Amino acid sequence: MTTIAVLGNGRVGGNLATSLALAGHEVTVADRAPGEAGAAARTAEVVINATPGAGSLERLAALREELRGKILVDVSNATTDGPDGLPADLLYPGSSLAEQLQEALPGTRVVKTLNTMLFPVMTAPAALTEAPTVFLSGEDPQAKQTVRDLLADLGWHPEWITDLGGIRTARATEAAILFVPHVIRSTGFTPFAISIAR
C-alpha cells in the first residue's frame, strides 16, 4: 500500500483517486481550498498532479517544502485553449511542464506519465481495442519503478509501458497533446491513446 495524494478533483484526479483506492492504496484528494494541497502532500509518499496544466507550475512551486523528498507524478499537459476549449498550443514550447516542475522542485522526484491519452484510458487501458502505450519520463530510476507499480495497479501490462529516459523526454509526450483536438473533432470524444506498434 502506498500513501497517495491526488492534487485536483476533476475528471482526471477523481478517476485516478477512485481506481488507486480500489487497488488498496491510501488516497487523499485535495481541491483548490487554501492549505488543503499542502496538507495532503505533506503526509503522502506519492503526489499526483492532476491540476489544470496552465496553473500547475505556480501551484506546485508554492508547495516546495511539502513536496521535498516525494515522488511527483505529473499527468497534466500545459496548453493554451482554443475557442472551443480544446488545447491549442503548448505553454512551454521547447520545454515541458514536467521539466519546469523538476527545475522548480529540485528536492522532488518528478515522473511524467499518463498524459498521452483521454482520461478514461488512464484507469482502463484494456478497454481499448488495441493495446495502448504509456510512457515514463524522469531522472530517478527508483521513482519510475514506483510509478510502474502504480500503473500495474491501474491495469497497465508491463509490455505497454515504455521508459523514454530522463525528464527532458517529457517534451515529446507533452507535444502529443496537439493531436488531441484534431482527433476529437474528427471522431468525437471516444477514449483513445497513443500506441507504439511493434
PDB file of all heavy atoms in Angstrom, residues 1 3-4 6 20 22 26 29 37 39 49 54 60 72-73 91 116 130 140-142 147 165 179 183 186 190 192 194:
ATOM      1  N   MET A   1       0.838  -1.201   0.000  1.00  0.00           N
ATOM      2  CA  MET A   1       0.000   0.000   0.000  1.00  0.00           C
ATOM      3  C   MET A   1       0.872   1.250   0.000  1.00  0.00           C
ATOM      4  O   MET A   1       1.842   1.332   0.738  1.00  0.00           O
ATOM      5  CB  MET A   1      -0.909   0.026   1.230  1.00  0.00           C
ATOM      6  CG  MET A   1      -1.880   1.193   1.232  1.00  0.00           C
ATOM      7  SD  MET A   1      -2.701   1.434   2.823  1.00  0.00           S
ATOM      8  CE  MET A   1      -1.368   2.135   3.796  1.00  0.00           C
ATOM      9  N   THR A   3       0.830   5.542   0.223  1.00  0.00           N
ATOM     10  CA  THR A   3       0.049   6.712   0.613  1.00  0.00           C
ATOM     11  C   THR A   3       0.149   7.737  -0.507  1.00  0.00           C
ATOM     12  O   THR A   3       1.248   8.196  -0.839  1.00  0.00           O
ATOM     13  CB  THR A   3       0.570   7.311   1.928  1.00  0.00           C
ATOM     14  OG1 THR A   3       0.580   6.284   2.927  1.00  0.00           O
ATOM     15  CG2 THR A   3      -0.315   8.447   2.405  1.00  0.00           C
ATOM     16  N   ILE A   4      -0.981   8.076  -1.110  1.00  0.00           N
ATOM     17  CA  ILE A   4      -1.010   8.900  -2.316  1.00  0.00           C
ATOM     18  C   ILE A   4      -1.892  10.120  -2.097  1.00  0.00           C
ATOM     19  O   ILE A   4      -2.994  10.011  -1.558  1.00  0.00           O
ATOM     20  CB  ILE A   4      -1.564   8.091  -3.514  1.00  0.00           C
ATOM     21  CG1 ILE A   4      -0.692   6.854  -3.773  1.00  0.00           C
ATOM     22  CG2 ILE A   4      -1.656   8.952  -4.771  1.00  0.00           C
ATOM     23  CD1 ILE A   4      -1.294   5.869  -4.762  1.00  0.00           C
ATOM     24  N   VAL A   6      -3.716  13.019  -4.362  1.00  0.00           N
ATOM     25  CA  VAL A   6      -4.075  13.453  -5.706  1.00  0.00           C
ATOM     26  C   VAL A   6      -4.458  14.920  -5.633  1.00  0.00           C
ATOM     27  O   VAL A   6      -5.403  15.294  -4.934  1.00  0.00           O
ATOM     28  CB  VAL A   6      -5.245  12.620  -6.273  1.00  0.00           C
ATOM     29  CG1 VAL A   6      -5.629  13.122  -7.668  1.00  0.00           C
ATOM     30  CG2 VAL A   6      -4.880  11.140  -6.325  1.00  0.00           C
ATOM     31  N   LEU A  20      -7.110   3.991  -7.719  1.00  0.00           N
ATOM     32  CA  LEU A  20      -5.991   3.667  -6.836  1.00  0.00           C
ATOM     33  C   LEU A  20      -6.479   3.240  -5.459  1.00  0.00           C
ATOM     34  O   LEU A  20      -5.901   2.355  -4.831  1.00  0.00           O
ATOM     35  CB  LEU A  20      -5.043   4.862  -6.736  1.00  0.00           C
ATOM     36  CG  LEU A  20      -4.239   5.140  -8.015  1.00  0.00           C
ATOM     37  CD1 LEU A  20      -3.572   6.502  -7.946  1.00  0.00           C
ATOM     38  CD2 LEU A  20      -3.199   4.047  -8.248  1.00  0.00           C
ATOM     39  N   LEU A  22      -9.342   1.683  -4.924  1.00  0.00           N
ATOM     40  CA  LEU A  22      -9.868   0.335  -5.135  1.00  0.00           C
ATOM     41  C   LEU A  22      -8.744  -0.694  -5.211  1.00  0.00           C
ATOM     42  O   LEU A  22      -8.938  -1.869  -4.878  1.00  0.00           O
ATOM     43  CB  LEU A  22     -10.712   0.286  -6.408  1.00  0.00           C
ATOM     44  CG  LEU A  22     -12.077   0.971  -6.336  1.00  0.00           C
ATOM     45  CD1 LEU A  22     -12.725   1.028  -7.708  1.00  0.00           C
ATOM     46  CD2 LEU A  22     -13.002   0.245  -5.349  1.00  0.00           C
ATOM     47  N   GLU A  26      -3.849   4.059   0.039  1.00  0.00           N
ATOM     48  CA  GLU A  26      -4.460   5.087   0.886  1.00  0.00           C
ATOM     49  C   GLU A  26      -4.405   6.409   0.121  1.00  0.00           C
ATOM     50  O   GLU A  26      -3.317   6.967  -0.089  1.00  0.00           O
ATOM     51  CB  GLU A  26      -3.711   5.206   2.212  1.00  0.00           C
ATOM     52  CG  GLU A  26      -4.319   6.189   3.189  1.00  0.00           C
ATOM     53  CD  GLU A  26      -3.549   6.268   4.485  1.00  0.00           C
ATOM     54  OE1 GLU A  26      -3.002   5.234   4.923  1.00  0.00           O
ATOM     55  OE2 GLU A  26      -3.482   7.381   5.052  1.00  0.00           O
ATOM     56  N   VAL A  29      -7.593  13.171  -1.692  1.00  0.00           N
ATOM     57  CA  VAL A  29      -7.799  14.084  -2.821  1.00  0.00           C
ATOM     58  C   VAL A  29      -7.869  15.498  -2.282  1.00  0.00           C
ATOM     59  O   VAL A  29      -8.601  15.769  -1.324  1.00  0.00           O
ATOM     60  CB  VAL A  29      -9.086  13.748  -3.595  1.00  0.00           C
ATOM     61  CG1 VAL A  29      -9.278  14.720  -4.755  1.00  0.00           C
ATOM     62  CG2 VAL A  29      -9.043  12.311  -4.102  1.00  0.00           C
ATOM     63  N   ALA A  37      -3.992  21.338  -0.330  1.00  0.00           N
ATOM     64  CA  ALA A  37      -2.991  20.638  -1.135  1.00  0.00           C
ATOM     65  C   ALA A  37      -1.716  20.405  -0.340  1.00  0.00           C
ATOM     66  O   ALA A  37      -1.126  19.323  -0.393  1.00  0.00           O
ATOM     67  CB  ALA A  37      -2.692  21.435  -2.411  1.00  0.00           C
ATOM     68  N   ALA A  39      -1.373  20.178   2.940  1.00  0.00           N
ATOM     69  CA  ALA A  39      -1.607  19.186   3.983  1.00  0.00           C
ATOM     70  C   ALA A  39      -1.619  17.778   3.405  1.00  0.00           C
ATOM     71  O   ALA A  39      -1.057  16.843   3.992  1.00  0.00           O
ATOM     72  CB  ALA A  39      -2.928  19.483   4.682  1.00  0.00           C
ATOM     73  N   ASN A  49      -0.046  15.074  -9.717  1.00  0.00           N
ATOM     74  CA  ASN A  49      -0.515  16.367 -10.196  1.00  0.00           C
ATOM     75  C   ASN A  49      -1.558  16.160 -11.273  1.00  0.00           C
ATOM     76  O   ASN A  49      -1.253  15.843 -12.421  1.00  0.00           O
ATOM     77  CB  ASN A  49       0.635  17.206 -10.763  1.00  0.00           C
ATOM     78  CG  ASN A  49       0.113  18.489 -11.393  1.00  0.00           C
ATOM     79  OD1 ASN A  49      -0.828  19.101 -10.884  1.00  0.00           O
ATOM     80  ND2 ASN A  49       0.692  18.882 -12.514  1.00  0.00           N
ATOM     81  N   ALA A  54      -2.087  24.600 -17.094  1.00  0.00           N
ATOM     82  CA  ALA A  54      -1.707  26.007 -17.238  1.00  0.00           C
ATOM     83  C   ALA A  54      -1.347  26.648 -15.907  1.00  0.00           C
ATOM     84  O   ALA A  54      -0.549  27.590 -15.862  1.00  0.00           O
ATOM     85  CB  ALA A  54      -2.842  26.785 -17.905  1.00  0.00           C
ATOM     86  N   LEU A  60       2.251  24.225  -7.761  1.00  0.00           N
ATOM     87  CA  LEU A  60       3.131  23.249  -7.128  1.00  0.00           C
ATOM     88  C   LEU A  60       4.432  23.855  -6.615  1.00  0.00           C
ATOM     89  O   LEU A  60       4.985  23.379  -5.617  1.00  0.00           O
ATOM     90  CB  LEU A  60       3.416  22.093  -8.082  1.00  0.00           C
ATOM     91  CG  LEU A  60       2.396  20.959  -8.012  1.00  0.00           C
ATOM     92  CD1 LEU A  60       1.033  21.407  -8.558  1.00  0.00           C
ATOM     93  CD2 LEU A  60       2.875  19.732  -8.756  1.00  0.00           C
ATOM     94  N   LEU A  72       6.637  13.001  -7.416  1.00  0.00           N
ATOM     95  CA  LEU A  72       5.557  13.775  -8.024  1.00  0.00           C
ATOM     96  C   LEU A  72       5.251  13.185  -9.392  1.00  0.00           C
ATOM     97  O   LEU A  72       6.075  13.224 -10.306  1.00  0.00           O
ATOM     98  CB  LEU A  72       5.955  15.247  -8.162  1.00  0.00           C
ATOM     99  CG  LEU A  72       4.934  16.150  -8.860  1.00  0.00           C
ATOM    100  CD1 LEU A  72       3.621  16.213  -8.076  1.00  0.00           C
ATOM    101  CD2 LEU A  72       5.506  17.558  -9.062  1.00  0.00           C
ATOM    102  N   VAL A  73       4.082  12.596  -9.526  1.00  0.00           N
ATOM    103  CA  VAL A  73       3.640  12.021 -10.796  1.00  0.00           C
ATOM    104  C   VAL A  73       2.836  13.094 -11.523  1.00  0.00           C
ATOM    105  O   VAL A  73       1.760  13.477 -11.088  1.00  0.00           O
ATOM    106  CB  VAL A  73       2.780  10.760 -10.568  1.00  0.00           C
ATOM    107  CG1 VAL A  73       2.389  10.149 -11.908  1.00  0.00           C
ATOM    108  CG2 VAL A  73       3.524   9.751  -9.710  1.00  0.00           C
ATOM    109  N   LEU A  91       2.176  25.536 -23.734  1.00  0.00           N
ATOM    110  CA  LEU A  91       2.521  26.678 -22.884  1.00  0.00           C
ATOM    111  C   LEU A  91       4.038  26.827 -22.732  1.00  0.00           C
ATOM    112  O   LEU A  91       4.535  27.924 -22.510  1.00  0.00           O
ATOM    113  CB  LEU A  91       1.868  26.508 -21.511  1.00  0.00           C
ATOM    114  CG  LEU A  91       1.667  27.742 -20.659  1.00  0.00           C
ATOM    115  CD1 LEU A  91       0.833  28.793 -21.383  1.00  0.00           C
ATOM    116  CD2 LEU A  91       0.996  27.362 -19.329  1.00  0.00           C
ATOM    117  N   THR A 116      -0.761  11.000 -22.528  1.00  0.00           N
ATOM    118  CA  THR A 116      -0.923  10.849 -23.982  1.00  0.00           C
ATOM    119  C   THR A 116      -2.201  10.080 -24.318  1.00  0.00           C
ATOM    120  O   THR A 116      -2.245   9.317 -25.291  1.00  0.00           O
ATOM    121  CB  THR A 116       0.294  10.114 -24.588  1.00  0.00           C
ATOM    122  OG1 THR A 116       0.458   8.862 -23.905  1.00  0.00           O
ATOM    123  CG2 THR A 116       1.549  10.946 -24.463  1.00  0.00           C
ATOM    124  N   GLU A 130      -7.135  -1.950 -29.210  1.00  0.00           N
ATOM    125  CA  GLU A 130      -5.717  -2.231 -29.429  1.00  0.00           C
ATOM    126  C   GLU A 130      -4.937  -1.873 -28.168  1.00  0.00           C
ATOM    127  O   GLU A 130      -5.343  -1.001 -27.407  1.00  0.00           O
ATOM    128  CB  GLU A 130      -5.171  -1.412 -30.608  1.00  0.00           C
ATOM    129  CG  GLU A 130      -5.896  -1.626 -31.923  1.00  0.00           C
ATOM    130  CD  GLU A 130      -5.652  -2.999 -32.507  1.00  0.00           C
ATOM    131  OE1 GLU A 130      -4.623  -3.619 -32.165  1.00  0.00           O
ATOM    132  OE2 GLU A 130      -6.483  -3.453 -33.313  1.00  0.00           O
ATOM    133  N   ASP A 140      14.891   9.690 -11.894  1.00  0.00           N
ATOM    134  CA  ASP A 140      15.150   8.784 -10.784  1.00  0.00           C
ATOM    135  C   ASP A 140      14.598   7.383 -11.079  1.00  0.00           C
ATOM    136  O   ASP A 140      13.380   7.202 -11.151  1.00  0.00           O
ATOM    137  CB  ASP A 140      14.523   9.341  -9.508  1.00  0.00           C
ATOM    138  CG  ASP A 140      14.902   8.550  -8.278  1.00  0.00           C
ATOM    139  OD1 ASP A 140      14.358   7.452  -8.084  1.00  0.00           O
ATOM    140  OD2 ASP A 140      15.752   9.035  -7.502  1.00  0.00           O
ATOM    141  N   PRO A 141      15.472   6.358 -11.241  1.00  0.00           N
ATOM    142  CA  PRO A 141      15.009   5.013 -11.571  1.00  0.00           C
ATOM    143  C   PRO A 141      14.077   4.419 -10.511  1.00  0.00           C
ATOM    144  O   PRO A 141      13.104   3.737 -10.854  1.00  0.00           O
ATOM    145  CB  PRO A 141      16.302   4.196 -11.679  1.00  0.00           C
ATOM    146  CG  PRO A 141      17.377   5.200 -11.958  1.00  0.00           C
ATOM    147  CD  PRO A 141      16.957   6.440 -11.226  1.00  0.00           C
ATOM    148  N   GLN A 142      14.367   4.676  -9.247  1.00  0.00           N
ATOM    149  CA  GLN A 142      13.526   4.128  -8.177  1.00  0.00           C
ATOM    150  C   GLN A 142      12.132   4.740  -8.220  1.00  0.00           C
ATOM    151  O   GLN A 142      11.120   4.044  -8.040  1.00  0.00           O
ATOM    152  CB  GLN A 142      14.176   4.379  -6.816  1.00  0.00           C
ATOM    153  CG  GLN A 142      13.432   3.722  -5.665  1.00  0.00           C
ATOM    154  CD  GLN A 142      14.112   3.969  -4.329  1.00  0.00           C
ATOM    155  OE1 GLN A 142      15.053   4.740  -4.224  1.00  0.00           O
ATOM    156  NE2 GLN A 142      13.619   3.295  -3.298  1.00  0.00           N
ATOM    157  N   VAL A 147       6.290   4.210  -9.906  1.00  0.00           N
ATOM    158  CA  VAL A 147       5.210   4.592 -10.817  1.00  0.00           C
ATOM    159  C   VAL A 147       4.809   3.407 -11.686  1.00  0.00           C
ATOM    160  O   VAL A 147       3.618   3.192 -11.958  1.00  0.00           O
ATOM    161  CB  VAL A 147       5.621   5.812 -11.666  1.00  0.00           C
ATOM    162  CG1 VAL A 147       4.547   6.138 -12.703  1.00  0.00           C
ATOM    163  CG2 VAL A 147       5.867   7.017 -10.760  1.00  0.00           C
ATOM    164  N   GLY A 165      13.334   7.661 -20.792  1.00  0.00           N
ATOM    165  CA  GLY A 165      14.581   8.221 -20.278  1.00  0.00           C
ATOM    166  C   GLY A 165      14.338   9.380 -19.336  1.00  0.00           C
ATOM    167  O   GLY A 165      13.363   9.393 -18.578  1.00  0.00           O
ATOM    168  N   PHE A 179      -2.219  16.519 -30.956  1.00  0.00           N
ATOM    169  CA  PHE A 179      -3.045  15.616 -31.751  1.00  0.00           C
ATOM    170  C   PHE A 179      -4.493  15.636 -31.278  1.00  0.00           C
ATOM    171  O   PHE A 179      -5.427  15.462 -32.061  1.00  0.00           O
ATOM    172  CB  PHE A 179      -2.558  14.164 -31.597  1.00  0.00           C
ATOM    173  CG  PHE A 179      -1.436  13.777 -32.491  1.00  0.00           C
ATOM    174  CD1 PHE A 179      -0.148  13.637 -31.993  1.00  0.00           C
ATOM    175  CD2 PHE A 179      -1.658  13.518 -33.829  1.00  0.00           C
ATOM    176  CE1 PHE A 179       0.892  13.267 -32.795  1.00  0.00           C
ATOM    177  CE2 PHE A 179      -0.618  13.133 -34.651  1.00  0.00           C
ATOM    178  CZ  PHE A 179       0.670  13.013 -34.139  1.00  0.00           C
ATOM    179  N   VAL A 183      -8.139  14.944 -33.320  1.00  0.00           N
ATOM    180  CA  VAL A 183      -8.759  13.618 -33.266  1.00  0.00           C
ATOM    181  C   VAL A 183     -10.187  13.727 -32.747  1.00  0.00           C
ATOM    182  O   VAL A 183     -11.111  13.102 -33.283  1.00  0.00           O
ATOM    183  CB  VAL A 183      -7.920  12.668 -32.386  1.00  0.00           C
ATOM    184  CG1 VAL A 183      -8.644  11.340 -32.197  1.00  0.00           C
ATOM    185  CG2 VAL A 183      -6.547  12.433 -32.999  1.00  0.00           C
ATOM    186  N   SER A 186     -12.470  15.077 -35.281  1.00  0.00           N
ATOM    187  CA  SER A 186     -12.651  14.139 -36.383  1.00  0.00           C
ATOM    188  C   SER A 186     -13.540  12.957 -36.014  1.00  0.00           C
ATOM    189  O   SER A 186     -14.389  12.543 -36.804  1.00  0.00           O
ATOM    190  CB  SER A 186     -11.286  13.628 -36.843  1.00  0.00           C
ATOM    191  OG  SER A 186     -11.414  12.624 -37.817  1.00  0.00           O
ATOM    192  N   THR A 190     -14.278   9.907 -28.019  1.00  0.00           N
ATOM    193  CA  THR A 190     -14.205   8.481 -27.755  1.00  0.00           C
ATOM    194  C   THR A 190     -12.825   8.174 -27.179  1.00  0.00           C
ATOM    195  O   THR A 190     -11.834   8.675 -27.686  1.00  0.00           O
ATOM    196  CB  THR A 190     -14.400   7.686 -29.058  1.00  0.00           C
ATOM    197  OG1 THR A 190     -15.631   8.074 -29.643  1.00  0.00           O
ATOM    198  CG2 THR A 190     -14.398   6.187 -28.794  1.00  0.00           C
ATOM    199  N   PHE A 192      -9.222   7.207 -26.446  1.00  0.00           N
ATOM    200  CA  PHE A 192      -8.118   6.755 -27.286  1.00  0.00           C
ATOM    201  C   PHE A 192      -6.809   7.059 -26.597  1.00  0.00           C
ATOM    202  O   PHE A 192      -6.747   7.844 -25.645  1.00  0.00           O
ATOM    203  CB  PHE A 192      -8.154   7.413 -28.680  1.00  0.00           C
ATOM    204  CG  PHE A 192      -7.867   8.889 -28.681  1.00  0.00           C
ATOM    205  CD1 PHE A 192      -6.572   9.371 -28.787  1.00  0.00           C
ATOM    206  CD2 PHE A 192      -8.898   9.816 -28.570  1.00  0.00           C
ATOM    207  CE1 PHE A 192      -6.291  10.733 -28.792  1.00  0.00           C
ATOM    208  CE2 PHE A 192      -8.634  11.179 -28.571  1.00  0.00           C
ATOM    209  CZ  PHE A 192      -7.338  11.631 -28.685  1.00  0.00           C
ATOM    210  N   ILE A 194      -2.244   7.083 -27.491  1.00  0.00           N
ATOM    211  CA  ILE A 194      -1.162   6.867 -28.446  1.00  0.00           C
ATOM    212  C   ILE A 194      -0.606   5.461 -28.208  1.00  0.00           C
ATOM    213  O   ILE A 194      -0.466   5.019 -27.069  1.00  0.00           O
ATOM    214  CB  ILE A 194      -0.063   7.924 -28.268  1.00  0.00           C
ATOM    215  CG1 ILE A 194      -0.571   9.268 -28.808  1.00  0.00           C
ATOM    216  CG2 ILE A 194       1.221   7.529 -28.969  1.00  0.00           C
ATOM    217  CD1 ILE A 194       0.386  10.392 -28.673  1.00  0.00           C
TER     218      ILE A 194
END
